[in-house]
Every structure is written in C-alpha cells, then in structure tokens.
C-alpha cells in the first residue's frame, strides 16, 4: 500500500488522500529504433540531447509536437527514466491533452492511462498547462499558502468585481482611476512577478501611488476570499519555491526532465518559476528543454516576453540549440513568401523555413474599393471554390486584425446562406447564466467567496437589493477592522439574527437565502455534480424565472443551461469510467465538484477551437495561432489597421516587429491557398479614410504574388473618387490625396508639404499643427531626410512626440 499524496508519482490531487496499490515500475516495451526512425534528422537530434539545457527553435509547421512527445517517450522507454520525473508544460488544455495522447500511443498505452494511477508506472508524467500544474503544486503545498483546501479561482470578471470593491473600500474615485485600468496594471505586475511592496512609485505620480495601495488591499481581499486570480496561480508557487529551500529541492529532485512548449509565449513570472524548477539556482540539474519560435511571439499585450527565448542561451549557460526548419504544412510558395516577410525583423534568431511540399499556386493579392466590396469578394470566392473544387466550408478561414471587421463578412454569409463560426467570441463559461450557476457551486464549496456571494444573493430576484448589500458591506468593513477573519458569509449569518444590521423584513429574506445555501452545502457530498446542478435550478427557480420572461434572449439562455447539463454529464462519464465499488463511488462523488470547478476556471478560449465543425471559420490573427486550414483569407492589410500602428506617428520598432510576426503567423496557417486583400478606403469612426496598402504586402517578392486590382468594381455607397490610385500591377501605390486619416471630404493637396514663398530654409520649425488625436501643437525641430524625415512636435502639457513628416503635413494650420 502506498499513499500517493507523498509518493513522487502523485498526479491529480483529488485522489491524493486515498492509498493505491501499484506494481513496481517497469519501462514499457517499445521499439526505440522505430521511434527514432520516424523522426527527421533535426527532430532526432533534439530527442537524443537529454542532459542539460536545450532550446529547440521550431518553425511553423515543423513537427514540434511530434518531437516533444517522442522525446518524453524516449526518456521513459529508451532511458528508463521514471515517468514521475518528467514535467511538460504548455498553454492550453487542448495542447496538453494532445501531448498526453501522443505519448500514450507511442508507448502502446491505453487511452487515458497517463491521467490514471496504479498501472505499471510509479506515477505518471506531469503534463499540463502552466496554470493546472501550478494549481496542483499549490494543493500539495497548501500549508505554505494562505488558503484552505477549497480555494476558488477568479476569472477576469470576478477579479474586476473585487477591484471595484477595493476601490470603494479605499475611497478612490473609480471615475478618476478606472477599475479596468487598475486591473490591467495589476495583471502586468503579476506577469513580471512584482509583489505589492515592490511596486515603484515616482514622487509625483498619483496613479502609481494609488496603484500600490489598491494592489496591497486587493491582495488582502483576494486571500480573505480564499481565492486566486490567474496571475497569482503562477506567482505564488514561484514565491514558495523561492522562499522555501526544502520545497524547492523537493521539486528539483522530482522533476529531473522539464519540457516547455511555446516558450516564446512565457512571461517573466513563468520564466522565474521555471528557473526555480530547473535548478538554475543552487547548482541544480538544468535539464530543461524549451521549444518555441521567436517568429511566432505575438502575445506581448498579454504579458509574453520575447526576451525569455532570445536570452535563453545567456540565462542557461552551455545551452544547446537545435533548429527545426522543415515545414510539413504549407506549399513552397507560401513558405518562401512568409519567410521573406519575417526576414525584415531584426530581433530574431537566424533560421530559414523550407519545405519539400509542392510548389503550389501563387498567393492572390486583391485590392478592392472598400470593406464591403472586400467582404463580398471574399465570400463569393469561398462559394466559387467550394462549388468548383468540391471543398467543404470547414476548409476555409478568414483572418482579420480586429473583431470589428467580422460584421461585413457576416452580412454576406447570411445573404448567401453559408454557415460560419466566429472563433474567439464570448467564452461559454463567461455567459451570465453559466457564471450564475457556477457561482452557486463555488459558494457551496467556499462560502468565503464574497464576489460569488454578491453575484447570486439576488439571482433570481429575491428582494435583496443594492441598498441592502451596501449596508452589509459597510458593516463588514467596520467589523473586519477588528476581526480580519470575518467573512461576508459570516455577516449574512449575523444579519439573520441581529436586527441592528438590517430591518426585520430584509433579515427574513436573508434567512431564506442562507437556509438555501446551507441545504445545498449539506447535500453536496452525497450528489454527483449534475445532481447538484439540478438541485440548484430547482431550489432557486432559475429556469422558471427565465421561462416567465418569454423572450428570445431568455430562450437562448435556457439552451445554454441545457448544454451545461451535457457538459457535466460528459465530465462525470470521463471521471467515473474506472470506478468499480460503491465505496469508491461515494468518495469520488465528493471529489467531483472541486475538480469540475477547477477545470472550468482553467479552460481557456483556445481550448474550444474546433476547426472540424462544417462552417467557414472567422477569427482574429491572434486566435489563429495553433490552427491550420487548406484555404486562408487574410484581409484588411492596410497601414494603420494591419500593421495596427498609427501611420502618422513614429512607432517603436519592437511594435512593428510584433505586427510582422502576426502577419507571419497568419500566412503560415495556410496549407494550400492563401488570399490577401486590402481596400482603398475604409470607414473608421464614421469617417471614410483613404488607406495605404500594408508594408507587409510590399515585403513579398512579386514572383509569389498574383495581383488583382478589383477596386474599379466598387459597389458601396461611399461615392469616393479613386482616380488618385495608380493600378495595373502588383505593388501599385496610391497617389495620396490628403495623407493618412483624412475625412470623407478629402483634399486636393499633395502628401508632402510645399513651403510658402519667403519661408526660411527649414519651413517647419515654429509652425502650428492641429493633430486629430493630440490636438494643438508646435513644431520644435526637423530630423532626417527624404521619405523618413520626421518632425518633433510639442503639444499642450509639454508632451513631445515624433511623427513622419509625410503623414502630418496635412495637419499644419
């Protein structure tokens, strides 16, 4: 008998308190020679380098997952490494499940064996997302945290609610200091593993002073709610490993071989965590294999730090580097074109993608009159290809830079009765009705969760209004100053019997809610999650209230609740497959709810991408990462939109390079055909703007492009004059009428400023401008020459900025 809570092979901690009978470890019988023969030369090299730090630069479509799973399988089957000594982390549950599945197949295991226990393994490899691995670590080391066993995980909306409450508690005006702005700032700090006491505050910076106060109080409130946000899931394990040598050595000893997928997407907190686990400190083993591609680093806005992959060889001295440059996905034409685009980035590793695939057809670049013409042309082309080439609609995808661009395409898809799906819309678990029932479930486990309590205390309506909640919050704030352990749930219970807190009528309503929650808490250990779910709906009358509304929206919400029932049933079937005895079933029932809540909290938007549904897929370029399609339409390739930078303002080169990486990602999603398009005018904020084709189009050599100028076949009602555009071949440029960002009225002036007679040699210094975004300003200096000539402008408040002269000439007064 062995207790898996202390065994090195412990996996999911819901089972950790029960002993299991296991067999001695025995390496699986696998033909290692065939395993290695299935790899190309560079993949095999990466698999066989098992000791010390290794960076695998894996280009798009180069078989990195095959290499990574083969490496894990080789460690187990070829080297006799015990599975529990292997850690592999990635970013989505979908990627982690695929990794486990491939390892199971390679090792000839039954499906799901790597998530089970008691087989011929002493434990299983720890394969999961960063967040799921860290949550398991926190549960194992619970005594080192401020939490009880049933802590909850706050999503973005829960976090925002708590920040709003914190601002109110500190009497900070949420009009002057936006809760969302505070949320973004706190999340940035957590991405960098910065603790509240370490926030730097400049002497006269009011925002920083308030941010520090809010962050400190927010952390206290978060922990008192027995809750973590997503940033804290990474930061707290890092601090535990940093501050407790015994824990650090324990996990360094356990995880002898560490693997990290999509390393270019890691933030500094994740880097710090990995440095602790990999034994970078105190002379550990440093057997860490990171797999990534700096050319696909596109999540800076989410905290990803490209320095992690660029500086790996410096951070881990002696690191070996293997480059996977053979692409198995796309045609030669697509790969060569994408390679020429990305080579314009300076901050990258030296590698060149290539392929043995067929040459393929040229990339189609269409130039159209406006966004409506673009949408009609793309939808028409999809319809034509589907009919003439026998393709199904799920073989097509449309990528755009911003979500707002989808509307025009949706109009034409509906007109032509073509099914489509928008990837990256509202997450299923973020829908109101789903969040409501999940909040009931969370409170059953963790009544300390004040955010969840306030969400459901009057849902469905039971006469407990905003005024009552404010009174209860005020009472809690005053009393918790003397009793920090007092929770909002405690206050509700006090208010039921203490008439000085609320009126007798309100107290009666609160008593009904408290009694309801207590019944659910009492019943939960005996019930499956689906049974608890139905009990919540029955006891609260949630569906009955929706039916009373008799609206289309209410009907949609009921359908979502029905789908949620399916989700729960599937979860239970998956979790209870191997349960044989009644005693085991009773134990598993009590464990299912916390497992499900944790799973739903850690489910990312990327996990629900399903390219196999028969419909045309539409998504932002950021959402396209990790997917591939036979035919891709990359639309809206215009300066200011894609790249999404202000064409009239000097932009940091690192921002331009990230946009170029985004273009590279989009291009390399296409397997067989790639269409790219730009328009001559686009309506932005109600104005019709003349658009310049994206610089990325100009970076593709002409031999890879078939250019189609379709701008004369305009169909919109903009009544714009396109005679200023020269067409007739790929790479044609607009003869600008008024510079970027002009209104629909246009201008007949040149894009470059002509000095007035009698002006000094430098006609710009001292001239006033009226900028559409920054307002009035004056030119201080002129820099450079030719097309790259810049002006330095000072605006009100002594705010100085640099702009390309050719784009601001029309703003001179």
């Amino acid at each position: 008998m062995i207790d898996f809570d202390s065994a090195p092979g412990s996996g999911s901690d819901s089972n950790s308190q029960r002993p299991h009978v296991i067999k001695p470890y025995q390496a699986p019988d696998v033909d290692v020679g065939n395993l290695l023969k299935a790899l190309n030369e560079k993949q095999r090299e990466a698999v066989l380098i098992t000791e010390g730090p290794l960076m695998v630069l894996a280009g798009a479509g180069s078989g990195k997952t095959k290499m990574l799973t083969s490496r894990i399988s080789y460690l187990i089957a070829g080297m006799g490494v015990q599975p529990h000594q292997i850690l592999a982390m990635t970013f989505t549950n979908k990627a982690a499940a695929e990794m486990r599945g491939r390892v199971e197949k390679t090792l000839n295991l039954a499906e799901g064996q790597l998530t089970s226990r008691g087989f011929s393994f002493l434990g299983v490899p720890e394969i999961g997302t960063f967040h799921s691995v860290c949550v398991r670590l926190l549960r194992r080391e619970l005594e080192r945290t401020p939490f009880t066993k049933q802590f909850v995980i706050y999503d973005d909306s829960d976090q925002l609610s708590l920040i709003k409450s914190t601002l109110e508690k500190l009497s900070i005006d949420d009009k002057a200091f936006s809760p969302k702005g505070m949320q973004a700032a706190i999340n940035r700090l957590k991405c960098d593993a910065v603790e509240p006491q370490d926030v730097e505050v400049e002497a006269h910076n009011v925002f920083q002073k308030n941010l520090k106060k809010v962050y400190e109080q927010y952390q206290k409130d978060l922990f008192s709610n027995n809750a973590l946000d997503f940033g804290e899931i990474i930061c707290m394990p890092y601090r535990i490993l940093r501050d407790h040598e015994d824990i650090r050595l324990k996990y360094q000893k356990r995880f002898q071989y560490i693997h990290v997928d999509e390393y270019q997407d890691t933030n500094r907190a994740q880097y710090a965590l990995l440095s602790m686990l990999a034994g970078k400190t105190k002379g550990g083993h440093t057997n860490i294999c990171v797999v990534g591609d700096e050319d696909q680093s596109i999540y800076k806005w989410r905290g990803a730090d490209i320095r992690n992959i660029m500086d790996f060889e410096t951070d881990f001295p002696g690191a070996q580097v293997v480059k996977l440059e053979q692409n198995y996905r796309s045609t030669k034409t697509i790969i060569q074109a994408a390679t020429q685009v990305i080579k314009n980035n300076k901050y990258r590793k030296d590698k060149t993608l290539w392929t043995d695939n067929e040459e393929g057809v040229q990339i189609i670049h269409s130039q159209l009159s406006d966004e409506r013409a673009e949408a009609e042309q793309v939808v028409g082309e999809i319809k034509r290809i589907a009919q003439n080439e026998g393709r199904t609609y799920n073989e097509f995808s449309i990528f755009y830079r911003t979500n707002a661009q989808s509307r025009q395409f949706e109009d034409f898809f509906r007109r032509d009765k073509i099914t489509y799906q928008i990837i990256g819309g509202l997450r299923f678990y973020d829908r109101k009705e789903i969040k409501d029932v999940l909040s009931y479930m969370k409170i059953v486990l963790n009544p300390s969760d004040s955010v969840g309590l306030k969400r459901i205390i009057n849902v469905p309506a039971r006469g407990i209004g905003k005024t009552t909640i404010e009174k209860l919050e005020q009472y809690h704030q005053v009393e918790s100053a003397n009793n920090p352990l007092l929770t909002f749930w405690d206050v509700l219970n006090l208010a039921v019997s203490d008439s000085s807190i609320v009126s007798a009528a309100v107290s009666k309503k609160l008593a009904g809610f408290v009694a309801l929650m207590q019944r659910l808490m009492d019943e939960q250990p005996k019930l499956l999650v689906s049974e608890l779910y139905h009990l919540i709906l029955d006891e609260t009358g949630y569906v009955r209230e929706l039916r009373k509304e008799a609206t289309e929206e209410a009907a949609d919400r009921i359908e979502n609740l029905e789908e949620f029932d399916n989700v729960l049933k599937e979860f239970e079937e998956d979790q209870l497959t191997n349960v044989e005895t009644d005693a085991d079933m009773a134990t598993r029932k009590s464990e299912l709810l916390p497992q499900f809540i944790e799973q739903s909290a850690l489910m990312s938007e990327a996990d629900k991408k399903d390219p196999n549904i028969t419909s045309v897929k539409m998504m932002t370029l950021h959402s396209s990462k990790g997917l591939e399609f036979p035919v891709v339409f990359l639309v809206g390739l215009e300066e200011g939109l894609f790249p999404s930078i202000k064409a009239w303002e000097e932009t940091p080169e690192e921002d331009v390079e990230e946009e170029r990486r985004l273009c590279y990602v989009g291009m390399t999603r296409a397997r067989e055909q790639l269409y790219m398009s730009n328009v001559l005018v686009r309506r932005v904020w109600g104005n019709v703007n003349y658009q310049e084709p994206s610089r990325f189009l100009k970076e593709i050599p002409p031999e890879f492009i078939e250019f189609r100028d379709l701008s004369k076949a305009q169909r919109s009602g903009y009544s714009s004059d396109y005679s200023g555009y020269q067409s007739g071949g790929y790479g044609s440029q607009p003869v600008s009428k008024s510079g970027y960002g002009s209104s629909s009225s246009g201008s007949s002036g040149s894009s470059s400023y002509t000095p007035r007679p009698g002006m000094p040699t430098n006609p710009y210094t001292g001239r006033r401008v009226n900028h559409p975004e920054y307002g009035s300003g004056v030119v201080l200096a002129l820099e450079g020459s030719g097309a790259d000539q810049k002006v330095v402008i000072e605006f009100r408040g002594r705010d100085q900025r640099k702009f390309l002269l050719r784009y601001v000439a029309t703003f001179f007064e």
Side-chain angles (χ1 to χ4, degrees):
M1 302 288 283
I2 185 167
D3 181 359
F4 264 81
D5 195 36
S6 58
S10 57
S12 174
D13 285 87
S14 61
N15 294 340
S16 63
Q17 302 304 315
R18 291 187 291 128
H20 294 254
V21 177
I22 64 168
K23 302 173 185 177
Y25 172 71
Q26 179 182 352
D29 184 17
V30 174
D31 189 331
V32 176
N34 284 338
L35 186 155
L36 295 175
K37 282 180 186 177
L39 306 172
N40 66 33
E41 180 184 350
K42 288 297 181 181
Q43 289 171 333
R44 190 158 51 248
E45 181 183 351
V47 166
L48 293 174
I49 298 174
T50 58
E51 308 305 307
L54 170 67
M55 177 166 64
V56 181
L57 295 174
S62 61
K64 69 178 178 67
T65 304
K66 181 177 183 180
M67 182 283 301
L68 199 52
T69 54
S70 296
R71 192 174 193 273
I72 294 170
S73 300
Y74 176 75
L75 286 169
I76 296 171
M79 292 183 60
V81 174
Q82 296 194 13
H84 74 268
Q85 295 179 311
I86 297 171
L87 169 65
M89 290 195 283
T90 186
F91 280 86
T92 68
N93 292 297
K94 184 177 179 180
E98 181 182 3
M99 203 180 298
R100 280 192 296 269
R102 289 202 190 190
V103 172
E104 286 170 343
K105 186 175 181 181
T106 304
L107 297 180
N108 299 320
L109 301 176
E111 183 179 351
Q113 191 161 339
L114 287 187
T115 56
S116 306
R117 299 191 187 148
F119 291 90
S120 59
F121 291 133
L122 179 58
V124 294
E126 189 92 25
I127 300 175
T129 64
F130 271 92
H131 287 99
S132 65
V133 168
C134 285
V135 167
R136 287 197 289 271
L137 189 150
L138 289 173
R139 293 202 183 282
R140 291 183 185 121
E141 310 302 333
L142 201 62
E143 71 278 4
R144 310 283 182 148
T145 76
F147 304 122
T148 64
K149 182 179 179 182
Q150 305 299 0
F151 61 75
V152 295
I153 298 168
Y154 279 178
D155 61 17
D156 289 342
S157 63
D158 295 329
Q159 182 191 34
L160 185 61
S161 295
L162 188 60
I163 287 172
K164 288 177 180 177
S165 175
T166 302
L167 288 171
E168 187 176 343
K169 184 180 292 186
L170 296 174
S171 300
I172 295 175
D173 185 1
D174 62 2
K175 299 290 191 298
F177 299 96
S178 159
K180 285 192 175 182
M182 284 290 178
Q183 180 183 37
I186 289 171
N187 286 340
R188 283 194 297 270
L189 291 167
K190 292 197 174 191
C191 280
D192 291 335
V194 177
E195 297 178 63
Q197 66 270 21
D198 297 326
V199 175
E200 296 181 0
V201 178
E202 297 173 6
H204 302 293
N205 192 315
V206 180
F207 178 81
Q208 288 178 353
K209 289 179 180 178
N210 280 288
L211 172 61
K212 187 179 180 75
K213 287 196 296 185
V214 171
Y215 190 10
E216 288 173 343
Q217 186 60 52
Y218 165 77
Q219 285 290 88
K220 292 176 184 176
D221 293 345
L222 188 69
F223 296 163
S224 68
N225 283 357
N226 201 29
L228 298 101
D229 57 30
F230 286 112
E232 199 61 34
I233 291 174
I234 306 297
C235 289
M236 186 168 289
Y238 159 64
R239 291 196 300 270
I240 290 172
L241 295 173
R242 180 196 66 190
D243 299 338
H244 301 280
E245 186 177 14
D246 60 326
I247 302 296
R248 182 170 66 250
L249 293 175
K250 170 184 170 182
Y251 284 97
Q252 287 176 356
K253 183 178 179 181
R254 173 177 174 178
F255 297 130
Q256 291 289 308
Y257 296 92
I258 297 173
H259 303 77
V260 187
D261 192 16
E262 305 287 6
Y263 189 63
Q264 78 279 350
D265 294 337
T266 54
N267 60 34
R268 293 309 277 181
Q270 288 161 332
Y271 162 79
L273 175 77
L274 289 167
S275 295
M276 291 291 166
L277 288 172
K280 186 183 169 191
T281 58
K282 306 288 185 183
H285 58 73
T286 66
N287 294 332
I288 180 170
C289 170
V290 302
V291 184
D293 180 9
E294 82 289 352
D295 288 336
Q296 298 185 70
S297 178
I298 59 173
Y299 296 118
K300 178 184 175 184
W301 54 277
R302 210 163 62 187
D305 195 328
I306 195 173
R307 292 177 301 169
N308 293 350
I309 192 167
M310 296 299 291
D311 298 343
F312 183 80
E313 294 155 276
T314 303
D315 294 335
F316 291 88
Q320 299 186 67
V321 179
V322 176
K323 299 177 183 178
L324 303 186
E325 298 171 295
Q326 182 176 1
N327 177 280
Y328 292 93
R329 176 189 300 152
S330 307
T331 64
K332 279 188 172 72
T333 296
I334 292 170
I335 290 304
Q336 290 171 337
T339 297
Q340 291 303 310
V341 171
I342 200 62
K343 279 188 173 179
N344 288 277
N345 275 4
K346 297 175 183 177
Y347 192 53
R348 64 187 294 266
K349 302 284 186 179
D350 180 27
K351 66 178 184 302
T352 301
L353 214 57
W354 61 275
T355 184
D356 279 337
N357 292 342
E358 62 183 18
E359 198 73 31
V361 298
Q362 286 183 301
I363 296 168
I364 306 297
H365 168 208
S366 300
Q367 181 167 271
L368 298 118
S369 58
D370 54 54
E371 67 267 29
R372 191 160 179 81
E374 178 184 48
E376 184 173 39
Q377 190 272 335
V378 168
V379 172
E381 188 70 359
I382 289 173
K383 193 173 182 180
R384 183 192 68 77
I385 295 172
Q387 291 172 345
N388 295 346
E389 299 181 16
R391 292 189 182 274
T392 58
Y393 285 133
N394 64 324
E395 295 182 73
F396 300 89
S397 187
I398 301 172
F399 300 157
Y400 35 74
R401 183 61 182 83
T402 66
N403 277 307
Q405 291 171 257
S406 71
R407 186 185 63 82
Q408 299 284 356
F409 296 94
E410 292 184 72
D411 289 346
F412 286 103
F413 279 132
R414 284 193 292 264
R415 185 197 71 177
D416 292 349
K417 295 181 172 56
I418 295 175
T419 57
Y420 67 90
Q421 180 186 11
I422 296 179
I423 305 293
L426 185 64
R427 200 176 72 110
F428 179 75
Y429 291 102
D430 287 338
R431 290 169 181 163
K432 181 185 183 305
E433 56 279 7
I434 306 303
K435 282 188 70 68
D436 286 345
V437 293
L438 272 172
S439 291
Y440 272 101
M441 291 178 170
K442 289 177 182 178
I443 299 305
V444 166
L445 288 179
N446 176 31
S448 297
D449 177 10
S450 65
V451 171
L453 273 172
K454 291 170 190 175
R455 179 183 183 91
I456 61 172
I457 195 170
N458 198 41
V459 176
R462 49 179 63 93
I464 304 172
K466 184 179 179 181
T467 302
T468 298
I469 295 173
E470 287 174 352
K471 284 182 181 179
L472 295 169
E473 285 176 333
Q474 289 169 3
Y475 181 86
H476 183 217
Q477 189 171 339
V478 171
E479 293 300 317
S480 60
N482 298 320
N483 180 9
L485 298 179
L486 187 75
T487 67
F488 193 71
W489 173 251
D490 295 329
V491 171
L492 292 184
N493 281 272
L494 288 170
V496 170
S497 56
D498 189 343
S499 58
S500 66
I501 301 176
V502 292
S503 69
V506 172
S507 178
K508 186 176 180 181
K509 294 171 183 175
L510 291 175
F513 174 70
V514 168
L516 163 66
M517 296 309 302
Q518 194 59 58
R519 283 198 302 277
L520 296 175
M521 292 175 197
D522 293 340
E523 292 296 320
Q524 182 269 323
K526 314 168 200 171
L527 303 175
L528 293 170
V529 186
S530 59
E531 293 170 338
L532 175 66
Y533 171 60
H534 283 282
L535 183 62
I536 289 170
L537 295 183
D538 290 342
E539 291 283 325
T540 61
Y542 197 102
V543 175
R544 289 195 299 273
E545 292 301 315
L546 285 176
R547 287 196 175 117
K548 286 180 185 176
E549 290 182 22
T551 63
E552 187 174 338
E553 180 186 358
D556 288 342
R557 290 172 65 189
I558 291 172
E559 287 181 6
N560 288 333
L561 290 170
E562 290 172 353
E563 178 59 25
F564 190 60
D565 191 36
N566 295 331
V567 170
L568 294 174
K569 295 285 176 54
E570 289 172 9
F571 168 77
E572 289 169 351
E573 288 172 6
D574 182 55
Q575 294 295 318
L576 301 175
T577 301
N578 298 317
V579 176
E580 297 178 355
T581 68
D582 291 341
D584 276 350
M585 176 62 77
T587 303
R588 290 296 289 128
K589 275 187 179 182
S590 65
E591 298 166 342
L592 287 176
L593 182 58
Q595 269 188 312
F596 178 77
I597 288 175
E598 183 176 301
Q599 177 180 297
S600 64
L602 297 179
M603 189 72 68
S604 70
E605 179 57 39
D607 292 317
K608 67 171 192 164
K609 295 176 187 173
D610 185 358
N612 298 314
I613 298 174
T614 306
S615 59
V616 178
K617 306 301 181 299
M618 294 196 292
M619 66 194 78
T620 64
L621 282 150
H622 284 102
S623 295
S624 73
K625 183 77 161 47
L627 299 178
E628 58 182 71
F629 298 89
V631 186
V632 165
F633 290 81
L634 214 171
V635 302
L637 279 143
E638 299 130 35
E639 291 291 311
L641 180 59
F642 188 35
S644 180
I645 56 177
K646 297 167 185 173
W648 56 76
E649 184 174 354
E650 182 181 44
T651 304
E653 187 61 29
E654 63 186 49
D655 291 348
V656 177
E657 293 207 352
E658 174 131 351
E659 290 286 306
R660 188 175 283 111
R661 292 193 292 269
L662 197 55
C663 182
Y664 174 77
V665 166
M667 293 176 72
T668 55
R669 300 308 96 193
R671 293 207 299 261
E672 300 167 30
Q673 297 179 54
L674 175 61
Y675 290 76
M676 305 175 82
S677 60
N678 71 285
V679 303
L680 300 185
V681 296
R682 185 175 295 274
R683 193 180 293 278
V684 180
W685 293 105
N687 292 324
V688 176
N689 289 352
Y690 288 87
Q691 302 289 90
E692 181 178 350
S694 170
R695 67 192 74 187
F696 304 145
L697 290 169
K698 305 167 195 174
E699 292 169 356
I700 302 175
E703 62 264 28
F704 300 126
I705 291 283
E706 178 188 332
F707 177 68
R708 298 175 179 176
D709 186 0
L710 306 177
S711 60
K712 302 301 180 184
Q714 77 175 84
R715 64 169 310 285
S716 81
Y718 289 170
S719 67
S720 302
D721 176 12
Y722 302 108
S723 60
Y725 280 81
Q726 298 173 338
S727 60
Y730 174 69
S732 58
Q733 296 298 306
V735 178
S736 177
K737 294 189 171 189
S738 60
Y740 181 87
S742 60
S743 69
S744 56
S745 60
S747 167
S748 58
S750 169
S751 62
S752 61
Y753 175 75
T754 303
R756 295 183 218 149
M759 289 290 284
T761 306
N762 179 355
Y764 304 105
T765 302
R767 289 205 60 184
R768 301 201 66 79
V769 298
N770 186 15
H771 192 278
E773 182 170 345
Y774 299 108
S776 298
V778 62
V779 176
L780 299 182
L782 186 68
E783 297 178 356
S785 61
D788 293 327
Q789 201 165 29
K790 302 181 182 76
V791 288
V792 181
I793 301 176
E794 182 174 281
F795 295 96
R796 293 171 183 169
R798 306 188 69 80
D799 181 17
Q800 293 185 15
R801 293 179 180 269
K802 288 183 183 179
F803 301 85
L804 293 171
L805 173 61
R806 66 180 185 271
Y807 286 123
V808 296
T810 55
F811 303 144
F812 287 130
E813 293 181 349

